[in-house]
Amino acid sequence: MALNDLEAPSHRSAFGALAAVLLGVAIFWAFGLQQALSADEPPSGSSFDPALVSKGAQLAAIGNCAACHTAPHGKPFAGGRALRTPFGTIYGTNITPDPDTGIGQWSQADFLRAMHDGVDRRGRHLYPAFPYDHFTRVTDEDVDAIYAFLMTRDLVRAETPRNELAFPLNIRATVGIWKLLYFRRGVFQPAPSENAQWNRGAYLAEGLAHCAACHTPRNFLGAEKKRLDFTGGESAGWHAPALNAASSAPSPWTADRLFAYLRQGMDDVHDAAAGPMAQVVHNLSQVPEEDVRAIALYVASLGGGQTPQRRASVSGVDTQAVERGAAIYAGACASCHDMGRQVLGGALELSLSTSVAMPAPGNLIRIIREGFVPADGEKGPWMPGFAGALTDRQLTDLVIYLRAHVGEKPAWDGVAGEVEKAARNKSRE
Amino acid sequence: MITLNVNGQPRQVDADPATPLLYVLRDHLELNGAKFGCGVGQCGACTVMVDGEAIFSCITPVSVLRDRQIKTIEGLGTIDNPGPLQRAFIEEQAAQCGYCIAGMIMRAQALLEKNPSASEAEIRETLSPNLCRCGTHMRILRAVGRAARAMQNTSTGNTKGSDP
């Protein structure tokens, strides 16, 4: 993978890279388009084997397809969800079998090529917001099952909004260059030293479930930094915590704990599933247990077992803020968080919280402001939000207190600024 | 002693700073509109407004409310002169047992003060933290819609009910 070493070490080279991209656009224009596929007629919905369709439904849930391909309050898989990226806004496409606005005219081979090569039916490159860098490892049989599932969904006529990307990224040929730098077509290679369950988990987690898409940091061109695999990334403004030994979670994950978390969104010694992870949990609560156990086994194995609790000495803390924060905790938080999870309504003891122990305060601030609210009609962890109840100053004090005295970690920089930012972002929604 | 500003008036309260606002409203100030439902901010019966935002008073300690404006349903109007939301709830007969209604109205009030032209979708979304077990949701939605229209028709001067 020598080409991966082209990854720029810092943002300073962004200008140079941009120039290279512009030059590359011209050079690779010819390579940027691939042939449209054969004029295979797509099969009619009724011709699919029901067993294949139901296998596809479970795989689509593991792949979390609906998250990007369904708009808020929209029809399932009809597209239109806005994905905000550093490069602009990309809209999840309509993948219902509508012939004009969906994938109704796509043959099985077209769909397989999209999943494995990131190319649409007309031969245009797909943006890597569609994680074909992971889906390329999904077997043909599994892709065919997902195809059968999607082609038997309710047909929805819904034009996907145009992407709002800056030049030159609005030209799809640029994706050809990106692929040359970062995309490796390939099949999943099982590790012979591991058992079948572990390999099943690795296959799902690295491929269809595309865990690393959020849990790995990305470089300035939006590609996963492979050398930092699973060290924590970002999704929808949330920090997706590290899944490997870099994790700041006070308690290491075991396969059993992670299995329970992936099914229910909660665990006795970790934060509840927040942000985009809530939908992942909702999906995984509905797929075969053995697949979730396999994913849990594999991901827990990344953590390197019993990591030592990292308790750095506390210094440079604003003691007055801590005092004020302690009073707020006593009134607003303690009634649930000090009674233990075993009790009905009892909440996590916050010394065990991953968010309190994270490198930055963003997640903790968002959780306190917004709480946990399951999506309409879905079950999930629940906590009231305190955005209106606490002023920015009070929230800042509370976060400083939690970090210093509950998490016993060195103070975060710029908590007040992060709190203001969260308030601004919320009011803009 | 803590001084709270409730419905535009300073009120002196002798309470532990960690006491939830709901208890102070009901037990110390005899403002019994806000109700105790679940006690953990899960049902919305205790909803009041603080600085224009709807909050769960059962999980908000009075210690965080110094120098802030608290508004309860008693601040929206009187029996003789109900505020626009109260009037609309009466006209639509939106209460059955009534236990959730003060909280519903206060959350709707916070919304309509910010956005009197809120759509039905926005009203539904905003009221979703507040539960009603009788099932008068459709009437509640109609009442909030009615109040919104009434507020828009009123001249800009009196869109916030009859604040003292």
Side-chain angles (χ1 to χ4, degrees), chain B residues 89-105:
Chain B
F89 270 67
I90 295 166
E91 285 163 351
E92 294 288 349
Q93 287 293 289
Q96 186 167 318
C97 87
Y99 204 78
C100 71
I101 293 297
M104 290 281 185
I105 289 181

Side-chain angles (χ1 to χ4, degrees), chain A residues 355-393:
Chain A
S355 298
V356 171
M358 266 179 193
N363 283 24
L364 181 62
I365 290 166
R366 272 187 84 164
I367 291 170
I368 298 171
R369 281 181 51 87
E370 302 167 27
F372 294 107
V373 181
D376 280 356
E378 292 176 13
K379 58 182 189 244
W382 182 88
M383 167 182 147
F386 287 82
L390 301 178
T391 62
D392 287 0
R393 172 70 180 276

Side-chain angles (χ1 to χ4, degrees), chain A residues 334-353:
Chain A
S335 60
C336 292
H337 285 282
D338 281 2
M339 65 196 270
R341 266 250 166 106
Q342 320 318 328
V343 184
L344 183 66
L348 182 71
E349 187 197 320
L350 292 176
S351 62
L352 297 167
S353 164

Side-chain angles (χ1 to χ4, degrees), chain B residues 47 73 76 83-95 100-130 132 136-154 159:
Chain B
T47 304
I73 188 140
L76 298 190
L85 267 161
Q86 292 168 318
R87 190 181 299 278
F89 270 67
I90 295 166
E91 285 163 351
E92 294 288 349
Q93 287 293 289
C100 71
I101 293 297
M104 290 281 185
I105 289 181
M106 293 316 291
R107 193 169 294 277
Q109 178 78 18
L111 171 66
L112 297 185
E113 282 188 16
K114 274 184 279 191
N115 178 15
S117 54
S119 65
E120 175 165 335
E122 286 168 301
I123 295 170
R124 277 173 183 263
E125 177 89 24
T126 303
L127 290 184
S128 64
N130 288 48
C132 163
T136 61
H137 301 88
M138 301 316 289
R139 287 183 184 233
I140 290 169
L141 289 172
R142 275 210 301 276
V144 177
R146 177 189 277 259
R149 285 190 299 278
M151 285 182 177
Q152 288 173 69
N153 293 337
T154 316
T159 57

